[in-house]
Amino acid sequence: VQLVESGGGLVQAGGSLRVSCTASVRTFSSYAMAWFRQAPGKEREFVARISWSGGSTYYADSVKGRFTISRDNAKNTVYLQMNSLNPEDTAVYYCAASGRLGPLRRLADYDYWGQGTQVTVSS
């Protein structure tokens, strides 16, 4: 499974941005997908997760109500819509895929990772 993120960039505080992740796999709908992020000098942290069907989502408290994860299985793509961005959201955003079951909120739950896309929020 290869994952390629896109859509990162520079945005002002209070603005919005959507990042995408496209998977090169025939069975994309078999995988739960997630977004993680890593800020400079910090550990990679969980942001959001979506089930294989898209029927179940889960968010970190820090982004709940501002970010929305979604997927289009026909396009092998998962999205992260980010609204009301603030400088603390500045990080490299990574998508990840997992064929496992469970809460899937830990880095170790995911077998495949993209290369990341930079999101920078200016104050």
Side-chain angles (χ1 to χ4, degrees):
V1 178
Q2 290 187 324
L3 305 174
V4 179
E5 300 97 335
S6 61
L10 175 64
V11 62
Q12 289 188 333
S16 298
L17 199 63
R18 188 178 79 162
V19 292
S20 304
C21 171
T22 300
S24 59
V25 62
R26 287 187 295 177
T27 57
F28 178 70
S29 60
S30 299
Y31 292 89
M33 300 296 295
W35 288 95
F36 288 76
R37 67 185 180 184
Q38 188 166 18
K42 296 187 177 181
E43 294 185 350
R44 194 171 300 190
E45 64 175 3
F46 172 82
V47 174
R49 184 264 295 152
I50 189 166
S51 63
W52 63 272
S53 67
S56 172
T57 57
Y58 187 87
Y59 297 91
D61 287 343
S62 59
V63 306
K64 199 173 297 182
R66 299 188 298 123
F67 290 13
T68 302
I69 188 171
S70 62
R71 67 189 297 161
D72 184 339
N73 286 343
K75 296 182 178 180
N76 280 19
T77 301
V78 60
Y79 306 97
L80 186 67
Q81 177 67 44
M82 302 181 287
N83 298 329
S84 302
L85 285 160
N86 57 63
E88 290 70 39
D89 296 315
T90 295
V92 177
Y93 283 71
Y94 297 90
C95 72
S98 175
R100 305 167 193 256
L101 298 175
L104 304 179
R105 295 195 289 270
R106 305 174 305 160
L107 274 72
D109 293 329
Y110 292 85
D111 302 304
Y112 305 100
W113 293 84
Q115 83 289 347
T117 186
Q118 177 71 47
V119 173
T120 302
V121 184
S122 63
S123 57

Short mmCIF file of all heavy atoms in Angstrom, two decimals, residues 37-45 90-92 94 118:
data_model
loop_
_atom_site.label_atom_id
_atom_site.label_comp_id
_atom_site.label_asym_id
_atom_site.label_seq_id
_atom_site.Cartn_x
_atom_site.Cartn_y
_atom_site.Cartn_z
N ARG A 37 -0.33 13.84 13.07
CA ARG A 37 0.48 15.02 12.79
C ARG A 37 1.68 15.07 13.72
O ARG A 37 1.64 14.51 14.83
CB ARG A 37 -0.35 16.30 12.92
CG ARG A 37 -0.82 16.62 14.33
CD ARG A 37 -1.74 17.84 14.31
NE ARG A 37 -2.21 18.18 15.65
CZ ARG A 37 -3.08 19.15 15.90
NH1 ARG A 37 -3.60 19.87 14.91
NH2 ARG A 37 -3.44 19.41 17.14
N GLN A 38 2.71 15.75 13.25
CA GLN A 38 3.92 15.89 14.05
C GLN A 38 4.44 17.31 13.93
O GLN A 38 4.82 17.74 12.84
CB GLN A 38 4.98 14.89 13.61
CG GLN A 38 6.19 14.86 14.52
CD GLN A 38 7.07 13.65 14.25
OE1 GLN A 38 6.99 13.01 13.21
NE2 GLN A 38 7.93 13.32 15.22
N ALA A 39 4.43 18.01 15.05
CA ALA A 39 4.96 19.36 15.11
C ALA A 39 6.45 19.31 15.43
O ALA A 39 6.93 18.32 15.99
CB ALA A 39 4.21 20.17 16.17
N PRO A 40 7.20 20.36 15.09
CA PRO A 40 8.64 20.36 15.37
C PRO A 40 8.94 20.11 16.84
O PRO A 40 8.35 20.74 17.72
CB PRO A 40 9.06 21.76 14.94
CG PRO A 40 8.05 22.18 13.93
CD PRO A 40 6.76 21.57 14.37
N GLY A 41 9.82 19.16 17.09
CA GLY A 41 10.22 18.87 18.46
C GLY A 41 9.23 18.08 19.27
O GLY A 41 9.44 17.85 20.47
N LYS A 42 8.16 17.63 18.64
CA LYS A 42 7.12 16.88 19.35
C LYS A 42 6.93 15.51 18.73
O LYS A 42 7.33 15.25 17.60
CB LYS A 42 5.80 17.65 19.35
CG LYS A 42 5.85 18.96 20.10
CD LYS A 42 4.47 19.58 20.21
CE LYS A 42 4.49 20.86 21.02
NZ LYS A 42 3.14 21.46 21.16
N GLU A 43 6.28 14.63 19.49
CA GLU A 43 6.00 13.30 18.98
C GLU A 43 4.81 13.34 18.01
O GLU A 43 3.97 14.24 18.09
CB GLU A 43 5.69 12.36 20.15
CG GLU A 43 6.89 12.11 21.06
CD GLU A 43 6.58 11.08 22.13
OE1 GLU A 43 5.40 10.70 22.28
OE2 GLU A 43 7.52 10.65 22.82
N ARG A 44 4.76 12.35 17.14
CA ARG A 44 3.62 12.24 16.24
C ARG A 44 2.37 11.89 17.06
O ARG A 44 2.42 11.03 17.93
CB ARG A 44 3.90 11.16 15.20
CG ARG A 44 2.95 11.18 14.02
CD ARG A 44 3.42 10.23 12.92
NE ARG A 44 4.74 10.57 12.41
CZ ARG A 44 5.28 10.01 11.33
NH1 ARG A 44 4.60 9.07 10.66
NH2 ARG A 44 6.48 10.36 10.94
N GLU A 45 1.27 12.58 16.75
CA GLU A 45 0.06 12.39 17.52
C GLU A 45 -1.14 12.11 16.63
O GLU A 45 -1.21 12.56 15.48
CB GLU A 45 -0.24 13.63 18.38
CG GLU A 45 -0.55 14.88 17.60
CD GLU A 45 -0.94 16.05 18.49
OE1 GLU A 45 -0.94 15.92 19.72
OE2 GLU A 45 -1.29 17.11 17.92
N THR A 90 -0.01 23.82 13.33
CA THR A 90 1.14 23.72 12.44
C THR A 90 1.89 22.41 12.68
O THR A 90 2.29 22.10 13.81
CB THR A 90 2.09 24.90 12.64
OG1 THR A 90 1.43 26.10 12.24
CG2 THR A 90 3.36 24.73 11.83
N ALA A 91 2.04 21.63 11.61
CA ALA A 91 2.68 20.32 11.73
C ALA A 91 2.80 19.69 10.35
O ALA A 91 2.20 20.18 9.39
CB ALA A 91 1.87 19.39 12.64
N VAL A 92 3.52 18.59 10.29
CA VAL A 92 3.47 17.72 9.12
C VAL A 92 2.34 16.74 9.37
O VAL A 92 2.30 16.09 10.42
CB VAL A 92 4.79 16.98 8.90
CG1 VAL A 92 4.67 16.02 7.71
CG2 VAL A 92 5.93 17.96 8.66
N TYR A 94 0.31 13.37 8.39
CA TYR A 94 0.53 12.07 7.77
C TYR A 94 -0.78 11.29 7.72
O TYR A 94 -1.53 11.27 8.69
CB TYR A 94 1.52 11.24 8.60
CG TYR A 94 2.90 11.83 8.71
CD1 TYR A 94 3.21 12.69 9.75
CD2 TYR A 94 3.89 11.49 7.80
CE1 TYR A 94 4.49 13.22 9.87
CE2 TYR A 94 5.17 12.01 7.91
CZ TYR A 94 5.46 12.88 8.95
OH TYR A 94 6.72 13.39 9.07
N GLN A 118 3.13 19.30 4.71
CA GLN A 118 3.32 20.37 5.70
C GLN A 118 2.10 21.30 5.71
O GLN A 118 1.67 21.78 4.67
CB GLN A 118 4.57 21.18 5.38
CG GLN A 118 4.81 22.36 6.29
CD GLN A 118 5.21 21.94 7.69
OE1 GLN A 118 6.07 21.09 7.86
NE2 GLN A 118 4.60 22.55 8.70
#
